Amino acid sequence: MISKSTISTRPWNGIIDCYRTYLPVSDKTPVITLNEGNTPLIFAPHISKLCNIPGLSVYLKVEGANPTGSFKDRGMTMAVSKSLEEKSKAIICASTGNTSASAAAYAARARANGYKMDCFVLVPKGYVALGKLSQAMIYGAKVVQVKGNFDEALKLVKSIVEKYPVTLVNSVNPFRIEGQKTAAFEVCEQLGRVPDVLAIPVGNAGNITAYWKGFCEYGKSDRPKMIGFQASGAAPIVLNKIVEKPETIATAIRIGNPASWKQAVNAASESGGFIDMVSDEEIIEAYKTLHQMEGIACEPASAASVAGLIKSAKAKKIQPESTVVCVLTGNGLKDPDTAIKSSSQESLEIEADLNKIAKSLGF
Ligand code: F0G
């Protein structure tokens, strides 16, 4: 059992420092960190009531508070540190955006520590939120926009690493899963107990795999029901069929053939949970509710966890008195275009005149 004091009394130096004994690292592993992890777990009073289940408590694990604005940093500190231990000088990934931002940042951090480390990223052209693309570019990665979707880009990078001296840092790299499992430890420590239900968006299915591994290793006999949510236009696991042309407004999870498909199905079934899908309308509704009624920002894909919880609560698939944690995987600032489009506000343009402004504000 990890004691609560690991977070509260020690200076925070990232997840490898905090959870070293739970991770495959040794004194020989050069630790590349941006002090990721230790993200807030915040109670959500409005969503708790909205679900209309007696005694329901909903908490949000705000992973957008990580250094590059997504949960990927937990996995990337491990993947990049281990790649350096193995003397790699370059990393590569396919990405819907967040993995590429994180890989680019940790490669830069490796360079800060005196290592040679190049970063190459393949992203689907036209389907990466602006914030993420700009991150990969400014952190100094070589960015290739592929005329194809994420699944095609992942196939390409898998072929590249077979031929060339470069390390794959997608979540098929087992060190990514190891790092990401630490979020499950944090949830239990912050809550002071294991949650009854963990709701999470599912794309390439690495994160649901990682959380389940974390809960299984945490050392308590209780484990949460894992409930995962895909977007309905990109729901291969729910449909039990590869989706050749995935489509969703939640571009982070616009994936038709997840690499960790089997592991995700296993996490859901072993835990007594399920994987379901939510429509783009349900995702945007939850995205707006999170911002406007909780004051908590996330990107659209992240809101799939809350949309899924609301859908499941309506279908009476959530037990009364449950404690539920929804994972908000990415920061709201990643996708300003969707934020502006989804907002019901029109921004007003008015002369700098007191009376006119006051009138326009409704006074
Ligand atoms: N939420 C966000 C914000 C993501 O960026 C991703 C995945 C997911 C959820 C789904 O997690 O793939 O582990 O099931 N993004 C990857 C990327 C695919 O390239 O950034 P998953």
Side-chain angles (χ1 to χ4, degrees):
M1 237 290 281
I2 296 163
S3 86
K4 198 167 181 180
S5 65
T6 49
I7 284 182
S8 55
T9 61
R10 291 174 53 190
W12 186 260
N13 293 312
I15 60 121
I16 297 179
D17 178 66
C18 183
Y19 298 111
R20 176 169 279 274
T21 53
Y22 294 81
L23 295 169
V25 290
S26 72
D27 294 348
K28 291 192 194 72
T29 314
V31 176
I32 302 302
T33 181
L34 289 163
N35 292 10
E36 60 295 312
N38 197 9
T39 56
L41 183 75
I42 302 180
F43 180 59
H46 180 80
I47 293 165
S48 297
K49 278 195 214 103
L50 183 72
C51 287
N52 209 17
I53 302 278
L56 185 74
S57 300
V58 179
Y59 292 81
L60 307 168
K61 181 66 170 159
V62 185
E63 287 290 274
N66 275 298
T68 75
S70 86
F71 68 94
K72 308 285 179 178
D73 296 343
R74 295 178 185 275
M76 208 55 73
T77 182
M78 277 297 296
V80 171
S81 298
K82 292 301 283 188
S83 78
L84 285 174
E85 187 177 341
E86 289 154 10
K87 309 282 183 240
S88 177
K89 291 184 169 49
I91 55 173
I92 191 167
C93 65
S95 181
T96 57
N98 281 322
T99 302
S100 63
S102 186
Y106 282 80
R109 195 68 186 170
R111 295 193 290 273
N113 285 266
Y115 295 94
K116 175 175 165 42
M117 180 53 79
D118 291 326
C119 178
F120 306 104
V121 309
L122 269 62
V123 297
K125 184 175 161 52
Y127 290 93
V128 177
L130 191 63
K132 304 175 190 180
L133 190 62
S134 64
Q135 284 180 292
M137 292 169 78
I138 191 63
Y139 282 126
K142 175 110 184 148
V143 179
V144 180
Q145 302 207 40
V146 180
K147 293 177 189 162
N149 61 32
F150 170 84
D151 304 291
E152 291 166 304
L154 183 59
K155 229 189 231 172
L156 287 165
V157 294
K158 281 181 174 170
S159 305
I160 290 170
V161 298
E162 277 173 20
K163 280 184 98 169
Y164 304 102
V166 52
T167 304
L168 186 64
V169 295
N170 279 104
S171 58
V172 291
N173 178 327
F175 300 123
R176 280 276 314 277
I177 304 296
E178 290 296 319
Q180 285 170 213
K181 78 183 180 190
T182 61
F185 301 161
E186 280 180 24
V187 163
C188 297
E189 290 182 60
Q190 289 170 310
L191 212 51
R193 55 167 288 200
V194 179
D196 300 307
V197 177
L198 187 103
I200 186 166
V202 176
N204 210 26
N207 211 26
I208 189 171
T209 303
Y211 269 86
W212 183 235
K213 188 166 199 286
F215 287 122
C216 291
E217 291 178 9
Y218 184 61
K220 289 258 183 167
S221 52
D222 322 344
R223 282 165 204 174
K225 287 190 168 65
M226 303 291 290
I227 62 174
F229 298 95
Q230 301 192 294
S232 52
I237 300 177
V238 182
L239 305 173
N240 198 22
K241 185 167 159 282
I242 291 172
V243 175
E244 299 289 346
K245 291 198 167 23
E247 277 309 338
T248 169
I249 193 163
T251 50
I253 53 172
R254 185 175 168 270
I255 294 175
N257 187 11
S260 301
W261 186 323
K262 279 200 193 104
Q263 294 90 323
V265 170
N266 179 58
S269 65
E270 265 187 18
S271 70
F274 51 84
I275 296 178
D276 196 0
M277 58 188 175
V278 282
S279 67
D280 280 7
E281 292 71 28
E282 289 168 314
I283 290 172
I284 292 301
E285 191 57 37
Y287 173 67
K288 287 166 72 172
T289 300
L290 279 159
H291 282 82
Q292 295 170 9
M293 298 307 295
E294 296 289 1
I296 293 183
C298 65
E299 63 171 284
S302 308
S305 61
V306 171
L309 171 64
I310 293 169
K311 181 182 176 186
S312 308
K314 268 191 201 144
K316 298 275 176 277
K317 287 159 87 177
I318 305 295
Q319 298 299 314
E321 309 297 327
S322 300
T323 296
V324 180
V325 172
C326 295
V327 184
L328 298 185
T329 46
N331 193 295
L333 298 173
K334 295 269 188 180
D335 190 352
D337 295 321
T338 305
I340 290 169
K341 274 188 218 138
S342 310
S343 164
S344 44
Q345 299 285 325
E346 261 183 57
S347 71
L348 304 166
E349 281 184 34
I350 295 171
E351 288 159 52
D353 175 279
L354 178 59
N355 289 333
K356 284 185 183 158
I357 302 256
K359 197 171 164 215
S360 74
L361 296 178
F363 293 115

